[in-house]
Amino acid sequence: AQSYGTGSHNTLDDYEEGSFSVFLGDSTSHGGNSLTASGSQPGSYTKIGNLVYFSIAVTLDKTSLTGTAPIYIHGLPFTSSSEQNYYECSPPRAAGGYISATDTLHATVNGNGTYILFYKNDHTQSPAQALIQDIGSTDTTKLRLTGCYRTT
C-alpha cells in the first residue's frame, strides 16, 4: 500500500494479523498455566511496522501458582522494544472475583519482554504489583485487555 508521495518511505511493507496463546504465570520465567479463551482465540494482534496492537480475552486459572507471587501473562507475539522500560495497556477489565472493589487494576508490557505485568492501586498509596492471591477464589475470573507496544 502506498500513501501520498512516491518514495519508498511512504510504502507500507510490514503488516500482519494473527492470534496467539497466552499463559498465566507467577514469574518472568514463563512458568504457569494455559489460559482458556473467552472467545475463539485467547489473543489476537495486528502488527503495523514496529507497532503491535493486541487484545486478550481469557478466563484465569491460578491452580498450582504461588499465591504471593506477582501476576504475569506470557505469550505476546513479539518481543517488546527496550527503548522504554514499559508500555502502558488499556485498563484491564476483570469480572468474577478479582481484587477488592476499591482497587484499580493496571497492566504494562515491560521493555524487552513478551509478558504483561499487573499492578493494583487502592488510591491511598503507591501502586503495588497485583499478586496471584488477589485473583478470586474460583476459576471463573475473566480478564479482557487491549494494548499497544513497540517491537524491534
Side-chain angles (χ1 to χ4, degrees):
Q2 199 164 4
S3 72
Y4 304 102
T6 58
S8 64
H9 62 279
N10 291 321
T11 302
L12 176 62
D13 59 359
D14 188 6
Y15 179 89
E16 180 179 334
E17 293 180 352
S19 60
F20 59 99
S21 296
V22 292
F23 300 87
L24 179 67
D26 55 7
S27 72
T28 58
S29 63
H30 182 30
N33 299 336
S34 296
L35 295 175
T36 304
S38 290
S40 59
Q41 292 291 332
S44 62
Y45 71 89
T46 301
K47 180 177 179 281
I48 305 171
N50 64 353
L51 291 177
V52 180
Y53 300 87
F54 68 90
S55 177
I56 297 171
V58 294
T59 300
L60 302 179
D61 175 6
K62 66 179 185 174
T63 307
S64 77
L65 298 176
T66 305
T68 56
I71 301 170
Y72 294 88
I73 290 186
H74 297 274
L76 291 175
F78 301 94
T79 301
S80 61
S81 170
S82 59
E83 290 177 2
Q84 291 183 212
N85 290 334
Y86 66 89
Y87 299 86
E88 190 76 26
C89 299
S90 68
R93 301 287 181 228
Y98 189 81
I99 304 184
S100 74
T102 60
D103 288 337
T104 302
L105 189 60
H106 302 275
T108 62
V109 175
N110 284 25
N112 199 36
T114 57
Y115 61 86
I116 301 165
L117 183 58
F118 292 85
Y119 293 89
K120 61 183 177 178
N121 187 347
D122 67 1
H123 306 288
T124 63
Q125 56 190 2
S126 297
Q129 287 186 330
L131 305 177
I132 296 293
Q133 68 192 12
D134 295 326
I135 298 172
S137 60
T138 67
D139 294 334
T140 59
T141 299
K142 297 193 184 317
L143 179 74
R144 185 172 297 276
L145 173 69
T146 60
C148 176
Y149 63 96
R150 190 175 301 277
T151 188
T152 54

